[in-house]
């Protein structure tokens, strides 16, 4: 790999020359490198899973970027050499994280985190027999991390199921057993 500086010919050239050299620009620098060929190794199961996950993330990113407000949001987060699509794929690739579920009296407090933004938190209260007694959306607190859901009753022997979703719709589910 070679980095080209102050060469007037290379300032305008991009692409592959003679199936041997590839010239591209990354972060404002012109780079010349040997052209890569296809791998001769069979992909591993992890590689195939990662490719599948990236394909889904790419499709979700394209769908999300049709909304001008979401596109503007991702564009505002893009750094040098990045664009809204890069940020949308990055967001769609990773699911949000449920860091904590706690009870404060009859209120369920969910601490959720995502690299970009948590879009919604849904709470289900299930009794000991497995019947959903109530469900609904939690409300974001002032600190921007905790989500609050006011339950009417928390049955002993039951559980609380929390589903956290980010902008692309990636769900993360976590349970809290009630004693």
């Amino acid at each position: 790999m070679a980095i080209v500086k102050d060469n007037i010919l290379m300032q305008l050239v991009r692409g592959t020359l003679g199936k041997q050299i590839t010239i591209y620009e990354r972060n404002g620098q012109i780079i010349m490198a040997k052209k890569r060929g296809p791998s001769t190794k069979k992909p591993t199961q992890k590689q195939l899973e990662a490719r599948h996950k990236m394909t889904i993330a790419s499709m979700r990113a394209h769908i999300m970027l049709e909304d001008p407000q979401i596109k503007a949001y991702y564009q505002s987060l893009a750094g040098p050499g990045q664009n809204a699509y890069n940020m949308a794929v990055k967001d769609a690739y990773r699911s949000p994280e449920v860091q904590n579920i706690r009870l404060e009296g009859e209120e369920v407090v969910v601490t959720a985190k995502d690299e970009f933004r948590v879009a919604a938190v849904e709470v289900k209260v299930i009794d000991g027999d497995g019947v959903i007694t109530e469900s609904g959306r939690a409300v974001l607190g002032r600190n921007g991390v905790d989500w609050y859901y006011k339950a009417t009753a928390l049955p002993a022997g039951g559980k609380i199921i929390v589903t956290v979703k980010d902008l692309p719709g990636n769900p993360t589910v976590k349970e809290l057993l009630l004693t």
Side-chain angles (χ1 to χ4, degrees), residues 5-179:
K5 294 182 179 180
D6 295 331
N7 186 321
I8 196 154
L9 291 175
M10 293 297 157
Q11 299 272 332
L12 304 173
V13 177
R14 300 291 179 274
T16 302
L17 300 173
K19 297 183 182 179
Q20 293 182 2
I21 297 173
T22 300
I23 302 169
Y24 59 97
E25 186 172 345
R26 172 74 76 192
N27 294 330
Q29 292 185 324
I30 301 168
I31 299 172
M32 291 178 54
K34 179 182 175 188
K35 182 179 182 324
R36 289 188 57 192
S39 176
T40 56
K41 296 179 184 178
K42 185 178 177 183
T44 65
Q45 186 62 34
K46 277 188 170 184
Q47 287 172 327
L48 291 172
E49 289 169 6
R51 288 178 189 175
H52 179 69
K53 191 174 177 182
M54 183 58 81
T55 301
I56 291 171
S58 177
M59 288 187 298
R60 284 184 174 171
H62 282 294
I63 291 168
M64 287 188 323
L65 292 178
E66 291 175 2
D67 183 338
Q69 289 179 330
I70 292 177
K71 185 174 183 175
Y73 169 70
Y74 283 125
Q75 188 60 49
S76 71
L77 299 174
Q82 296 176 323
N83 57 32
Y85 173 75
N86 299 139
M87 296 292 99
V89 168
K90 187 176 182 181
D91 191 15
Y93 194 79
R94 294 193 181 118
S95 295
E97 178 185 347
V98 178
Q99 294 178 322
N100 189 17
I101 303 171
R102 66 184 186 278
L103 300 175
E104 293 179 359
E106 294 290 311
E107 196 163 45
V108 179
V109 181
V110 179
T111 304
K113 180 182 163 190
D114 188 66
E115 189 172 348
F116 293 89
R117 181 169 49 182
V118 174
V121 175
E122 296 174 11
V123 178
K124 291 181 188 173
V125 179
I126 300 176
D127 65 11
D129 297 328
V131 178
I132 298 173
T133 58
E134 65 179 287
S135 65
R137 286 191 157 204
V139 178
L140 181 62
R142 289 186 178 191
N143 65 3
V145 178
D146 290 334
W147 294 73
Y148 296 88
Y149 177 78
K150 182 70 173 167
T152 55
L154 297 172
K159 61 184 172 182
I160 297 171
I161 298 178
V162 174
T163 305
V164 177
K165 292 184 180 179
D166 58 4
L167 283 176
N170 294 323
T172 299
V173 179
K174 197 166 185 180
E175 293 182 5
L176 175 68
L177 297 175
L178 300 171
T179 54

